Amino acid sequence: MRLSIFWRLTIGFLAIIVLVSGVNLFALHQIRQITEFSNALVSTHYPAIDSAKWLIDSLYAQVRNEKKYLAVRDDIFLKHFDTDAREFQRTLDALLEQEGSPDGQHTLKEVETLHDDYRILFHTEARLEPVRTRKMSKEYESQRDAIVTTITKHLEAFMDLHAASISTVINDGRRRSEQAGVVTKQLVILALCLGLLLASLATYSILSPLRRLQEHIRQIGLGNFKTAVNVSAPSDLRELVESVGAMAKKLQELDDLKAEFVSHITHELRSPLTAIHAGTQLLLEEIPGPVTEQQRETLELMVESSRQLIDMISSLLDLSKIDAGMMEYRIVSSDIKRVVDTSVNKIRLLADRERIRIVIEAPSGPVFAPVDESRMQQVLDNLLSNALKFSREGGSIYLRVEPDQKEKVLRISVTDTGRGIAPQSLQHIFERFYQGGVRARGGAPGTGIGLALAKRVVEAHGGRIWADSELGKGTTMSFVLPLGGS
């Protein structure tokens, strides 16, 4: 029985999770042991050493207060001595309670006995009369120094004992850490190998038919709809394979229908429209006979409308050719300034009528680039036509030609002084049939074909086209082309 994709993935992932969980549990056990060592250091040995150091400091503070009292017989120093002695004893008692080793407890008890001797010795000396103090001073100081020195040595021995314990714990922890690292590394490598093996086995049977199906889909994307979809796949994927086969069949039918439609437009629509346009132009030129002013206005409207319709059909045909990969380009080194001048001359009369100024900023000499002149003319015609339609009456259009020899590109931009394009529409303006929310001056809607066609032509030349716009200030359409030699 063949397992479904769900169970293949589930079993594979469960096996990987079990392996990873085992590694994590082992690592967690080792971390817990190392943590116990660290707790022993933090809660026992280091505090014991710090307390011993404090006891030494406290002992010498008592000695300083003792000397001051014996020198000046001021009770404040006696009080300080007693206070420090009591704090010393409390700390020593706490340290004795926490100490677990017999050697450490013996050392601390010796310190306690010596400290009691020191207190008794001092208080005995303090009760003597000041006159007799001088006679007993040398003997007293000798006894006191011997006791203090012995206490200090005992506390230092206590610190050495805990320092040795720290060294032992650290070494033991390091050894365990190294062992845990080696074992964990081996377990991780084993888990990774087994996990990769299980993952490969679980996914191969899924990815293999999907890749074969992907290749068929790629062939369909290239226009090869007649390739039979014959893929052996799990039951979960059979419906997908059948859907791809049905899609390929339907696309073949649509492709045949599109080819027939394009052919029909080419032969059945374009020719009559051209005839209507030419006939209307003849009437407008009064070749058949004179026309009235009212008739002339109607004929001009017919000429303009038929020309727009012919341009739209031509653009649709060009887009269909590009999408089908049938568009042919005759790319040769051409003077871009000549192409620019030709496009500007086409709209100059209409721009003058609307009192829109056209400013060309370009180098004085010719600028050569490898392009198909007719197609690049089409791009500039669309950009200039849009700039003219969306510019305010009395505004300006700036056309800039900027060759960059350093980057080996040619930048061309068309800037209008219109109302601009909203940010949410800017990213869609190069999509086919997208018109946005801004209407051209006069309210005439566009077709949304021109910029889509311009984008495809520029990209076919190895270039890039984009738009920058700010509401209320205007729009700049820019594109770059690879720059050729002159």
Side-chain angles (χ1 to χ4, degrees), residues 220-292:
I220 291 172
L222 294 175
N224 186 9
F225 307 124
K226 297 180 180 180
T227 304
V229 182
N230 185 17
V231 177
S232 176
S235 57
D236 311 63
L237 296 177
R238 287 174 190 166
E239 185 176 351
L240 177 61
V241 173
E242 293 172 358
S243 299
V244 171
M247 179 185 68
K249 184 178 179 181
K250 187 66 175 178
L251 286 173
Q252 181 63 50
E253 295 175 358
L254 291 174
D255 190 62
D256 295 339
L257 182 62
K258 183 184 75 171
E260 182 181 355
F261 175 72
V262 170
S263 177
H264 178 73
I265 287 180
T266 302
H267 295 93
E268 301 299 328
L269 291 180
R270 201 171 188 180
S271 297
L273 279 172
T274 303
I276 292 172
H277 180 76
T280 307
Q281 189 68 40
L282 290 174
L283 290 174
L284 191 60
E285 293 174 1
E286 299 185 351
I287 292 178
V291 295
T292 64

Side-chain angles (χ1 to χ4, degrees), residues 440-467:
R441 184 170 27 84
T447 60
I449 300 173
L451 290 180
L453 180 62
K455 182 177 185 293
R456 285 163 173 77
V457 171
V458 170
E459 290 177 349
H461 282 74
R464 182 174 63 93
I465 187 170
W466 69 95

Side-chain angles (χ1 to χ4, degrees), residues 301-320:
L301 180 62
M302 291 174 63
V303 167
E304 181 64 22
S305 298
S306 61
R307 185 190 62 77
Q308 291 179 356
L309 191 54
I310 291 172
D311 289 343
M312 282 190 286
I313 292 174
S314 297
S315 296
L316 281 171
L317 290 173
D318 289 339
L319 275 177
S320 298

